[in-house]
PDB file of all heavy atoms in Angstrom:
ATOM      1  N   GLY F 148       8.525  -9.322  -3.553  1.00 54.00           N
ATOM      2  CA  GLY F 148       9.205  -8.065  -4.017  1.00 54.00           C
ATOM      3  C   GLY F 148       9.927  -7.334  -2.874  1.00 54.00           C
ATOM      4  O   GLY F 148      10.150  -7.834  -1.755  1.00 54.00           O
ATOM      5  N   PRO F 149      10.383  -6.174  -3.138  1.00 54.00           N
ATOM      6  CA  PRO F 149      11.171  -5.350  -2.258  1.00 54.00           C
ATOM      7  C   PRO F 149      10.448  -5.005  -0.946  1.00 54.00           C
ATOM      8  O   PRO F 149       9.228  -5.016  -0.954  1.00 54.00           O
ATOM      9  CB  PRO F 149      11.642  -4.174  -3.087  1.00 54.00           C
ATOM     10  CG  PRO F 149      10.471  -4.033  -3.970  1.00 54.00           C
ATOM     11  CD  PRO F 149      10.172  -5.439  -4.387  1.00 54.00           C
ATOM     12  N   GLN F 150      11.272  -4.609  -0.007  1.00 58.00           N
ATOM     13  CA  GLN F 150      10.507  -4.210   1.319  1.00 58.00           C
ATOM     14  C   GLN F 150       9.905  -2.906   1.184  1.00 58.00           C
ATOM     15  O   GLN F 150      10.449  -2.029   0.451  1.00 58.00           O
ATOM     16  CB  GLN F 150      11.740  -4.023   2.393  1.00 58.00           C
ATOM     17  CG  GLN F 150      11.265  -3.575   3.690  1.00 58.00           C
ATOM     18  CD  GLN F 150      12.356  -3.294   4.682  1.00 58.00           C
ATOM     19  OE1 GLN F 150      13.412  -3.333   4.331  1.00 58.00           O
ATOM     20  NE2 GLN F 150      12.004  -2.980   5.893  1.00 58.00           N
ATOM     21  N   THR F 151       8.730  -2.773   1.713  1.00 58.00           N
ATOM     22  CA  THR F 151       7.906  -1.550   1.371  1.00 58.00           C
ATOM     23  C   THR F 151       8.689  -0.337   2.183  1.00 58.00           C
ATOM     24  O   THR F 151       9.140  -0.406   3.190  1.00 58.00           O
ATOM     25  CB  THR F 151       6.611  -1.788   2.077  1.00 58.00           C
ATOM     26  OG1 THR F 151       5.962  -2.791   1.515  1.00 58.00           O
ATOM     27  CG2 THR F 151       5.717  -0.516   2.004  1.00 58.00           C
ATOM     28  N   ALA F 152       8.677   0.758   1.251  1.00 49.00           N
ATOM     29  CA  ALA F 152       9.370   1.900   1.828  1.00 49.00           C
ATOM     30  C   ALA F 152       8.590   2.590   2.963  1.00 49.00           C
ATOM     31  O   ALA F 152       9.003   2.990   3.983  1.00 49.00           O
ATOM     32  CB  ALA F 152       9.672   2.955   0.653  1.00 49.00           C
ATOM     33  N   ALA F 153       7.178   2.712   2.652  1.00 57.00           N
ATOM     34  CA  ALA F 153       6.320   3.330   3.627  1.00 57.00           C
ATOM     35  C   ALA F 153       4.947   3.052   3.031  1.00 57.00           C
ATOM     36  O   ALA F 153       4.707   3.040   1.859  1.00 57.00           O
ATOM     37  CB  ALA F 153       6.609   4.807   3.774  1.00 57.00           C
ATOM     38  N   ARG F 154       3.910   2.958   3.992  1.00 72.00           N
ATOM     39  CA  ARG F 154       2.557   2.650   3.417  1.00 72.00           C
ATOM     40  C   ARG F 154       1.788   3.926   3.624  1.00 72.00           C
ATOM     41  O   ARG F 154       1.596   4.542   4.684  1.00 72.00           O
ATOM     42  CB  ARG F 154       1.885   1.674   4.469  1.00 72.00           C
ATOM     43  CG  ARG F 154       2.680   0.387   4.410  1.00 72.00           C
ATOM     44  CD  ARG F 154       2.086  -0.748   3.670  1.00 72.00           C
ATOM     45  NE  ARG F 154       0.780  -0.889   3.301  1.00 72.00           N
ATOM     46  CZ  ARG F 154       0.351  -1.400   2.200  1.00 72.00           C
ATOM     47  NH1 ARG F 154       1.288  -1.919   1.395  1.00 72.00           N
ATOM     48  NH2 ARG F 154      -0.787  -1.517   1.843  1.00 72.00           N
ATOM     49  N   LEU F 155       1.318   4.432   2.508  1.00 83.00           N
ATOM     50  CA  LEU F 155       0.515   5.683   2.270  1.00 83.00           C
ATOM     51  C   LEU F 155      -1.016   5.270   2.638  1.00 83.00           C
ATOM     52  O   LEU F 155      -1.527   4.408   2.003  1.00 83.00           O
ATOM     53  CB  LEU F 155       0.724   6.323   0.845  1.00 83.00           C
ATOM     54  CG  LEU F 155      -0.172   7.467   0.597  1.00 83.00           C
ATOM     55  CD1 LEU F 155       0.171   8.682   1.272  1.00 83.00           C
ATOM     56  CD2 LEU F 155      -0.149   7.729  -0.942  1.00 83.00           C
ATOM     57  N   PRO F 156      -1.628   5.905   3.563  1.00 92.00           N
ATOM     58  CA  PRO F 156      -3.062   5.760   3.741  1.00 92.00           C
ATOM     59  C   PRO F 156      -3.815   6.282   2.511  1.00 92.00           C
ATOM     60  O   PRO F 156      -4.023   7.445   2.443  1.00 92.00           O
ATOM     61  CB  PRO F 156      -3.415   6.569   4.978  1.00 92.00           C
ATOM     62  CG  PRO F 156      -2.251   7.460   5.216  1.00 92.00           C
ATOM     63  CD  PRO F 156      -1.101   6.904   4.389  1.00 92.00           C
ATOM     64  N   TYR F 157      -4.146   5.437   1.594  1.00 95.00           N
ATOM     65  CA  TYR F 157      -4.584   5.781   0.294  1.00 95.00           C
ATOM     66  C   TYR F 157      -5.953   6.509   0.266  1.00 95.00           C
ATOM     67  O   TYR F 157      -6.330   6.944  -0.697  1.00 95.00           O
ATOM     68  CB  TYR F 157      -4.522   4.651  -0.580  1.00 95.00           C
ATOM     69  CG  TYR F 157      -4.321   5.028  -2.137  1.00 95.00           C
ATOM     70  CD1 TYR F 157      -2.967   5.525  -2.578  1.00 95.00           C
ATOM     71  CD2 TYR F 157      -5.298   5.099  -3.021  1.00 95.00           C
ATOM     72  CE1 TYR F 157      -2.848   6.026  -3.816  1.00 95.00           C
ATOM     73  CE2 TYR F 157      -5.073   5.467  -4.329  1.00 95.00           C
ATOM     74  CZ  TYR F 157      -3.829   5.941  -4.706  1.00 95.00           C
ATOM     75  OH  TYR F 157      -3.611   6.406  -6.058  1.00 95.00           O
ATOM     76  N   ALA F 158      -6.773   6.270   1.355  1.00 97.00           N
ATOM     77  CA  ALA F 158      -8.096   6.942   1.411  1.00 97.00           C
ATOM     78  C   ALA F 158      -7.841   8.498   1.345  1.00 97.00           C
ATOM     79  O   ALA F 158      -8.716   9.226   0.791  1.00 97.00           O
ATOM     80  CB  ALA F 158      -8.731   6.608   2.778  1.00 97.00           C
ATOM     81  N   VAL F 159      -6.685   9.006   1.809  1.00 96.00           N
ATOM     82  CA  VAL F 159      -6.399  10.448   1.767  1.00 96.00           C
ATOM     83  C   VAL F 159      -6.265  10.762   0.131  1.00 96.00           C
ATOM     84  O   VAL F 159      -6.746  11.833  -0.227  1.00 96.00           O
ATOM     85  CB  VAL F 159      -5.114  10.824   2.496  1.00 96.00           C
ATOM     86  CG1 VAL F 159      -4.697  12.223   2.178  1.00 96.00           C
ATOM     87  CG2 VAL F 159      -5.241  10.431   3.918  1.00 96.00           C
ATOM     88  N   ALA F 160      -5.506   9.998  -0.663  1.00 96.00           N
ATOM     89  CA  ALA F 160      -5.343  10.261  -2.007  1.00 96.00           C
ATOM     90  C   ALA F 160      -6.694  10.066  -2.710  1.00 96.00           C
ATOM     91  O   ALA F 160      -6.960  10.912  -3.577  1.00 96.00           O
ATOM     92  CB  ALA F 160      -4.347   9.232  -2.574  1.00 96.00           C
ATOM     93  N   ILE F 161      -7.451   9.132  -2.432  1.00 97.00           N
ATOM     94  CA  ILE F 161      -8.754   8.978  -2.955  1.00 97.00           C
ATOM     95  C   ILE F 161      -9.560  10.151  -2.592  1.00 97.00           C
ATOM     96  O   ILE F 161     -10.327  10.862  -3.642  1.00 97.00           O
ATOM     97  CB  ILE F 161      -9.488   7.728  -2.597  1.00 97.00           C
ATOM     98  CG1 ILE F 161      -8.791   6.444  -3.067  1.00 97.00           C
ATOM     99  CG2 ILE F 161     -11.016   7.637  -3.061  1.00 97.00           C
ATOM    100  CD1 ILE F 161      -9.093   5.157  -2.575  1.00 97.00           C
ATOM    101  N   THR F 162      -9.703  10.655  -1.466  1.00 98.00           N
ATOM    102  CA  THR F 162     -10.470  11.776  -1.072  1.00 98.00           C
ATOM    103  C   THR F 162     -10.018  13.063  -1.826  1.00 98.00           C
ATOM    104  O   THR F 162     -10.890  13.830  -2.369  1.00 98.00           O
ATOM    105  CB  THR F 162     -10.490  11.986   0.412  1.00 98.00           C
ATOM    106  OG1 THR F 162     -11.031  10.807   0.955  1.00 98.00           O
ATOM    107  CG2 THR F 162     -11.410  13.216   0.795  1.00 98.00           C
ATOM    108  N   LEU F 163      -8.624  13.278  -1.738  1.00 97.00           N
ATOM    109  CA  LEU F 163      -8.299  14.450  -2.406  1.00 97.00           C
ATOM    110  C   LEU F 163      -8.453  14.413  -4.006  1.00 97.00           C
ATOM    111  O   LEU F 163      -8.741  15.467  -4.595  1.00 97.00           O
ATOM    112  CB  LEU F 163      -6.714  14.778  -1.990  1.00 97.00           C
ATOM    113  CG  LEU F 163      -6.467  15.080  -0.736  1.00 97.00           C
ATOM    114  CD1 LEU F 163      -5.043  15.236  -0.419  1.00 97.00           C
ATOM    115  CD2 LEU F 163      -7.139  16.501  -0.379  1.00 97.00           C
TER     116      LEU F 163
END
Side-chain angles (χ1 to χ4, degrees):
Q150 179 185 6
T151 301
R154 303 251 346 140
L155 174 69
Y157 210 74
V159 176
I161 292 170
T162 301
L163 290 175

